[in-house]
Amino acid sequence: MQLHYSLLGKYPNIFILHGILGSGQNWRTFARKLQSRLPQLGIALIDLRNHGRSPRGASPHTLRACAEDLIRLSADIGEPDIVIGHSFGGKVALEFSALEPPVQTWVLDAPPGTLSEKPEDQSEVLRVIQSLRSVPTPLEKRKDLIDILMVQGFSRAIAQWLTTNLTKGSDGYIWRFDLKIIEELIQDYFQRDLWPMVENPMPALDIHIVRAQNSDRWTPESIHRLQALEQCSVHRLPHAGHWVHVDNPQGLCNLLIRHFPS
């Protein structure tokens, strides 16, 4: 299986991995900003399995499977020096780094532990999935999805973002993804505990974890555990919630460039 990606530049020095229900396209504006500062770098914006234009892939649908997809991709297009993963993609980045260590790994606002630490996070994501399951596809217009989700209490911004997961079929707009696979992926994300990896990383790993200042994804216990890390670099991104590349793209860009390997 070949993952879909788009490349800015000639060689993929950097892989960027999106969150659940996202795609590489979500990071294009930020990637262009980053590359304008460091034009010598190439950036691969990757669609993980069952997202964007990538195939669904074979079962099991897990973080490890996503990481193995990336290993196959890197064999075709070149191994990255830096892997940057946001949210769900942050844990995929860690899994990939355990199998095939890059020079540097960035985990953006993705707590390494299980989400049973904060059950309301799990219920929030499941609420989105449940709502998507109830959407009567095919839809005549993309706007129909916005109207349906806003009636269910979602913000216009979230509803508009979710329309990026629609594609035009013969009878109207349908989902790009298989919703059952999305559920399998997110359940593995909930259950996978990667604290041991960041608390006792392999010597070759240079791991940077970014917590957004206004993020609601971290419990007091997980923040305390994060701050106690000795072998990973921990950063706090000010003026940003969970959507770090949207809320404070300049701050995130500055942070990455300041710590990129020379």
Side-chain angles (χ1 to χ4, degrees):
M1 183 187 79
Q2 176 72 54
L3 295 177
H4 177 268
Y5 69 96
S6 58
L7 181 62
L8 305 181
K10 295 182 179 180
Y11 181 85
N13 308 91
I14 300 173
F15 280 7
I16 293 184
L17 313 178
H18 59 81
I20 201 75
L21 293 172
S23 70
Q25 183 67 26
N26 299 152
W27 282 80
R28 180 172 292 275
T29 299
F30 177 82
R32 289 193 183 281
K33 181 184 292 290
L34 183 61
Q35 195 187 44
S36 71
R37 299 273 299 275
L38 295 172
Q40 72 275 21
L41 293 181
I43 302 174
L45 301 172
I46 297 167
D47 292 345
L48 299 173
R49 61 164 55 198
N50 194 47
H51 287 80
R53 298 182 183 180
S54 283
R56 293 174 178 177
S59 184
H61 300 288
T62 61
L63 298 176
R64 176 59 65 92
C66 292
E68 290 170 349
D69 294 341
L70 293 173
I71 289 174
R72 286 188 287 271
L73 179 65
S74 64
D76 289 338
I77 70 173
E79 296 180 1
D81 298 315
I82 301 166
V83 177
I84 301 170
H86 174 243
S87 196
F88 178 87
K91 275 191 168 181
V92 174
L94 286 174
E95 289 276 13
F96 173 79
S97 300
L99 298 174
E100 195 162 295
V103 176
Q104 192 175 77
T105 303
W106 286 82
V107 180
L108 306 182
D109 212 52
T114 65
L115 289 214
S116 59
E117 295 174 355
K118 194 175 182 186
E120 58 266 33
D121 279 349
Q122 179 166 330
S123 63
E124 179 186 37
V125 176
L126 291 179
R127 177 172 166 257
V128 171
I129 292 173
Q130 183 177 10
S131 295
L132 297 186
R133 193 186 296 121
S134 69
V135 172
T137 56
L139 297 168
E140 184 180 351
K141 304 183 294 294
R142 288 181 184 274
K143 182 180 178 299
D144 294 342
L145 178 63
I146 297 174
D147 295 340
I148 291 169
L149 294 178
M150 289 185 65
V151 166
Q152 295 185 27
F154 293 96
S155 69
R156 178 174 292 276
I158 290 294
Q160 288 177 329
W161 168 64
L162 287 169
T163 64
T164 64
N165 288 294
L166 293 172
T167 187
K168 187 67 179 292
S170 57
D171 298 322
Y173 287 94
I174 58 175
W175 297 121
R176 291 183 182 275
F177 51 70
D178 182 318
L179 194 53
K180 185 176 182 296
I181 295 175
I182 293 291
E183 292 182 84
E184 291 180 38
L185 290 170
I186 201 64
Q187 287 294 351
D188 191 61
Y189 174 77
F190 291 156
Q191 296 165 7
R192 191 79 168 96
D193 184 4
L194 295 180
W195 277 116
M197 181 178 173
V198 298
E199 290 175 330
N200 296 286
M202 294 184 296
L205 289 180
D206 179 19
I207 299 174
H208 293 252
I209 301 178
V210 177
R211 177 175 71 88
Q213 179 182 27
N214 302 323
S215 174
D216 59 357
R217 305 302 169 98
W218 301 81
T219 64
E221 293 77 15
S222 60
I223 292 173
H224 177 77
R225 200 167 177 179
L226 182 70
Q227 292 171 339
L229 292 178
E230 296 181 351
Q231 298 181 62
C232 293
S233 299
V234 176
H235 313 273
R236 188 183 66 147
L237 182 66
H239 314 301
H242 182 62
W243 305 101
V244 290
H245 59 303
V246 175
D247 294 343
N248 189 0
Q250 191 63 51
L252 180 59
C253 193
N254 291 342
L255 177 63
L256 293 170
I257 291 172
R258 189 159 62 246
H259 294 281
F260 275 170
S262 56

